[in-house]
Amino acid sequence: MNNTSTLPLDLVLMEAIKDMILIVSVGENTVFTYQFFNQAALKKTHLTQDDLGKTFSETHNPHAAKLLNEQYKQVLLTQEATTYKDLHTTPSGEPYYSETTLTPLFGEDGNCNFIIALTTDITNERLAREASNEAWEQLKKSRSRYRSLYDNNADAIFSLDLNGRILAGNSVVEQLTGYRLADLVDQGLSEHILSKDCELVRVYFQLALEGVSHDFRTKFIGASGKPFGILIHFAPVEVKNEIVGVYATLRDMRELDQMIAQYVESENRFRIIAENAHDVIVLMDHQGEPLYVSPSSKRVYGVDPEEYMGTPPFDAVHPDNVPELKKAFSMAIEEAKTYILEVQLKHKTKGWIWTEIQGTPVFDDQGQFVHMLTITQDITLYKEKENQLHHYAYHDSLTGLSNRRFLKDRILEELCSPQDENDMLAVIMLDIDHFKTINDEFGHETGDAVIAEFGKRLQASIQSHDVAARLGGDEFVLLLPEVKTVEQAVSIAQSVKLAMNMPWDLEDGPVNITASMGIALIKKAGATVSSVLKNADLAMYESKQAGRNTYRISRF
C-alpha cells in the first residue's frame, strides 16, 4: 500500500486487519465470484490476486467448492448473516481453526449482490477450550457449584427431558424470551424455533443424547411473536454415567446481528471489525498520542483501553525500540506508506512481550493527515519458535554443540577480522578412535551416547571464547581464536586427551574411548575456510597413522 490518501478508512482497515476479509459477488444462476481479498486472506490461503473474478470451482478442489457454495447459498436462502466454523491449512501446511461470518449486502433493488466473509483464526481459543474440557467435567460432578453456574450464567439455560420438553430454566430465560418460565414448562423447545430449523434442532438434540455436544445458529420466537437470533448449545446431563436429560444453552445474538447489519456503512464497518478483532487497533494523532484503543488491549496486554488514553506517545514501547518506531512513524506520514516493525511492548503483568506493529497513515480528501491506524499483534510465540529454529540451524541436535554451518561462519569471521601478516588461527580436528567398532558391538544407541558424552567432555575442556563443533558422525573440531602458539594448542589437546581418558561407564559396561587429533596453526593472511579445515584434517590423519590416541601438528 503505497498511497492511502484516496482510500476510505474501511478499505485501509480491511487491508491491514489480521482477520481474513473476502468479498464475493452473486451472479446469475447463483454463481459466486471473488471480488476482493485483503492481505491476511492472501497470506493464510492459497488464493492470489490472479483468482479475482474466478468462481469457487475455479479456485478450489471439488469438495471445498461444494462446501463453500452450500454456505453461501444458505445466506441467500435466509437473507441473513450466518456463522460457521471450519478447519483450514495454510500455504505452509500448518492447520488452523477458523470462525467465518457471511454477511449479505443488498442493492437498492433489494437483491443480494455481494457477500462479505470475515474469517477469524480461533486456533488458540479452540485449543484452550479443549484443554478446559476436563475441568468442566469435574465441575459437573459438583451439583451445588454447577447450580450456581446455572443460576448466574449470562446465557439462558433450559433443562430438557429425554423428549426435548422443557423441565426448568434459569432466570435469564424470562429475560431472553419474554415468557414466564412457568408458561414454558412441559412445552417442546422446538415449538419456539423457526419451523425451517426444527429438523436441525432434532438432529443436534439426538446427538446430545448420544454424548456429542454441538452449537448452531437459529432464531427463537419470543413472547412478542418476533423471531431473534440465538446460538444454541446442547450438552448431555449425566448421572452415574447415564444420560438423563439435556441442557440447552441459548446465547442472545441480537447485538452481534445488529452490528453486522450496520457493516454496510464505512464508519460502522471500522467499529465492528475493530471491537471484534483479536489484534489491538489504535488510532493516533500526528504526535503518536492515542485517540482510540480497541477493547482487545485488555486481552492482549492486560490494560483497559481507558488506561491507554492520555498516556504519552510511545509510552508502552521498550526504550530500545522507541527511536526506530518514531522514525518509521514520521516516514510513514511523510511518504504515505505503511510500516511494519517488530518491537517490545509492555504487558501489565508479563513485562515486555514481542509485538508486530503495522501502521498505516490515513489522509482526508485534501491529502491532510488525519490519524495513524496501527494494528498490533502479540508475536511472542512466533519469536520463541524463530529463536528455536535459529538455534537448530546452527547447532547439532545430538550434542548441542555448534554444527558445520556455524563453524564455517566463525572461521570466516576470524579470517576476515583485522590482522597483521603474522596473525595466526588455531584449530584442532578430532575423531573418535574405532568408533565403528563401538557401533557394531554395542549398537547405535550406545554410539549416540558416546558421541553425546564426547561432546560434553570436549566443551568442558575449552574456554568460553573457544568453539566446539560437531561436523558429523564422530568428527569434531575445536576453533581456538585466541591461541597464537603451538604450545598453547598442545596444552588444550592434552586437556582434551585427559578428559577422554577418564572412565566411561555406559549401560553396556565400561568402555575405553580415545581420540586422534590434528592441530593446525595457520597464518590468517591468504587462508580460506577450506584450507584451514583441510590442514587440520591432514594432521589428524597423521595421528591415526601414528597409532591413534595422540595428536600431530600441522603449521603453515
Side-chain angles (χ1 to χ4, degrees):
M1 183 183 297
N2 294 327
N3 191 327
T4 59
S5 60
T6 59
L7 294 177
L9 179 60
D10 60 304
L11 289 182
V12 173
L13 180 62
M14 284 194 290
E15 284 294 347
I17 195 73
K18 290 298 186 293
D19 293 339
M20 292 186 286
I21 300 177
L22 305 92
I23 299 180
V24 174
S25 65
V26 182
E28 295 183 1
N29 299 321
T30 320
V31 174
F32 301 106
T33 307
Y34 286 119
Q35 298 297 317
F36 171 81
F37 317 127
N38 71 343
Q39 290 300 313
L42 293 175
K43 289 180 180 178
K44 293 185 177 181
T45 69
H46 68 276
L47 296 171
T48 68
Q49 293 291 356
D50 294 336
D51 294 322
L52 291 176
K54 294 182 179 180
T55 64
F56 295 155
S57 298
E58 294 172 324
T59 53
H60 301 278
N61 62 56
H63 177 70
K66 180 181 177 181
L67 293 178
L68 285 172
N69 275 302
E70 290 175 354
Q71 295 291 348
Y72 280 72
K73 285 180 180 179
Q74 179 68 15
V75 176
L76 295 181
L77 182 64
T78 63
Q79 298 287 291
E80 295 176 349
T82 185
T83 300
Y84 67 93
K85 296 179 181 178
D86 204 352
L87 174 63
H88 300 272
T89 303
T90 66
S92 62
E94 296 181 357
Y96 68 93
Y97 295 95
S98 69
E99 182 177 83
T100 299
T101 298
L102 302 179
T103 303
L105 297 182
F106 301 95
E108 294 181 356
D109 56 0
N111 292 324
C112 176
N113 299 322
F114 295 92
I115 296 176
I116 294 180
L118 176 63
T119 300
T120 300
D121 187 339
I122 60 170
T123 303
N124 290 336
E125 290 86 340
R126 174 67 178 260
L127 295 178
R129 182 176 177 181
E130 291 176 355
S132 67
N133 282 343
E134 183 177 352
W136 276 102
E137 291 300 321
Q138 293 297 323
L139 183 61
K140 290 178 181 178
K141 295 179 180 180
S142 173
R143 183 173 182 179
S144 61
R145 290 173 62 196
Y146 191 80
R147 187 69 204 179
S148 176
L149 176 64
Y150 182 91
D151 291 337
N152 297 290
N153 200 297
D155 299 325
I157 301 178
F158 287 100
S159 295
L160 309 179
D161 64 14
L162 295 177
N163 296 314
R165 305 191 72 80
I166 299 171
L167 299 176
N170 64 357
S171 59
V172 184
V173 166
E174 296 187 350
Q175 301 172 23
L176 178 67
T177 67
Y179 286 106
R180 292 174 59 250
L181 182 58
D183 296 333
L184 294 172
V185 171
D186 290 332
Q187 295 185 14
L189 179 64
S190 59
E191 297 175 23
H192 298 277
I193 303 297
L194 285 182
S195 57
K196 70 179 185 65
D197 287 341
C198 284
E199 179 61 18
L200 192 63
V201 172
R202 188 193 66 78
V203 170
Y204 282 125
F205 181 83
Q206 188 62 39
L207 286 173
L209 293 179
E210 296 171 5
V212 181
S213 297
H214 276 286
D215 47 15
F216 60 99
R217 287 289 302 270
T218 184
K219 289 193 174 183
F220 189 96
I221 303 173
S224 65
K226 185 176 181 180
F228 57 90
I230 57 171
L231 180 72
I232 295 185
H233 177 82
F234 284 139
V237 180
E238 295 185 24
V239 177
K240 296 182 179 180
N241 297 321
E242 180 182 357
I243 296 177
V244 297
V246 171
Y247 283 126
T249 304
L250 279 61
R251 176 165 296 179
D252 189 351
M253 303 298 287
R254 283 175 290 192
E255 184 177 354
L256 178 61
D257 290 342
Q258 184 178 6
M259 291 174 64
I260 295 175
Q262 295 171 347
Y263 186 76
V264 292
E265 298 179 11
S266 175
E267 290 299 325
N268 287 338
R269 270 190 263 188
F270 169 78
R271 182 67 58 178
I272 293 170
I273 297 174
E275 297 193 358
N276 288 277
H278 285 224
D279 304 328
V280 179
I281 299 174
V282 181
L283 297 180
M284 296 184 290
D285 63 16
H286 67 285
Q287 294 181 335
E289 293 187 2
L291 304 173
Y292 167 83
V293 180
S294 65
S296 51
S297 64
K298 178 67 174 179
R299 177 180 57 82
V300 178
Y301 298 109
V303 181
D304 291 321
E306 293 76 13
E307 295 182 61
Y308 266 125
M309 303 301 292
T311 58
F314 314 111
D315 181 61
V317 181
H318 194 284
D320 292 345
N321 302 134
V322 170
E324 182 183 15
L325 183 56
K326 284 185 175 180
K327 181 179 179 181
F329 189 93
S330 299
M331 290 185 64
I333 297 175
E334 181 179 344
E335 300 177 3
K337 292 182 178 179
T338 294
Y339 70 86
I340 300 178
L341 284 180
E342 292 182 2
V343 302
Q344 294 185 78
L345 293 186
K346 187 185 299 181
H347 189 282
K348 191 168 186 178
T349 58
K350 299 178 182 179
W352 299 107
I353 63 174
W354 278 103
T355 300
E356 180 187 86
I357 297 182
Q358 179 172 332
T360 302
V362 179
F363 303 87
D364 60 21
D365 294 338
Q366 287 72 44
Q368 297 297 313
F369 175 78
V370 178
H371 48 239
M372 182 73 72
L373 170 66
T374 67
I375 298 178
T376 63
Q377 181 184 28
D378 181 1
I379 59 170
T380 302
L381 294 178
Y382 164 78
K383 293 295 288 187
E384 291 175 356
K385 184 176 181 181
E386 184 180 60
N387 291 335
Q388 289 178 352
L389 292 175
H390 184 271
H391 177 83
Y392 295 147
Y394 288 97
H395 290 80
D396 174 57
S397 59
L398 179 58
T399 64
L401 299 180
S402 302
N403 60 13
R404 181 186 297 270
R405 179 180 178 184
F406 181 87
L407 177 69
K408 287 186 173 183
D409 288 349
R410 283 288 284 112
I411 293 176
L412 182 61
E413 182 181 327
E414 289 295 327
L415 294 177
C416 294
S417 63
Q419 57 189 276
D420 57 48
E421 60 181 8
N422 295 316
D423 205 3
M424 307 294 287
L425 181 65
V427 298
I428 301 177
M429 186 168 287
L430 308 93
D431 195 85
I432 301 176
D433 294 331
H434 306 296
F435 182 71
K436 184 176 184 302
T437 302
I438 296 173
N439 263 340
D440 293 342
E441 183 175 347
F442 299 106
H444 289 283
E445 288 188 6
T446 299
D448 286 347
V450 169
I451 288 176
E453 178 63 20
F454 189 92
K456 184 186 299 183
R457 297 187 183 194
L458 198 62
Q459 183 69 58
S461 302
I462 60 177
Q463 302 296 316
S464 59
H465 49 260
D466 300 326
V467 176
R470 181 190 178 204
L471 299 188
D474 62 321
E475 193 173 28
F476 296 80
V477 171
L478 294 179
L479 171 62
L480 312 171
E482 296 192 8
V483 169
K484 305 302 179 187
T485 67
V486 172
E487 291 75 18
Q488 291 174 325
V490 168
S491 176
I492 294 176
Q494 292 284 12
S495 297
V496 171
K497 185 176 181 180
L498 288 174
M500 300 310 165
N501 287 338
M502 296 294 288
W504 289 68
D505 291 323
L506 303 176
E507 291 184 2
D508 297 299
V511 294
N512 183 35
I513 304 296
T514 62
S516 298
M517 292 178 276
I519 303 174
L521 197 62
I522 303 172
K523 286 185 178 181
K524 289 185 179 181
T528 64
V529 175
S530 296
S531 66
V532 170
L533 295 177
K534 180 179 179 181
N535 287 327
D537 187 52
L538 289 173
M540 183 183 70
Y541 179 76
E542 291 177 3
S543 71
K544 285 181 177 291
Q545 294 293 102
R548 305 178 188 271
N549 191 24
T550 186
Y551 58 84
R552 287 294 182 266
I553 302 169
S554 173
R555 181 167 182 169
F556 296 86

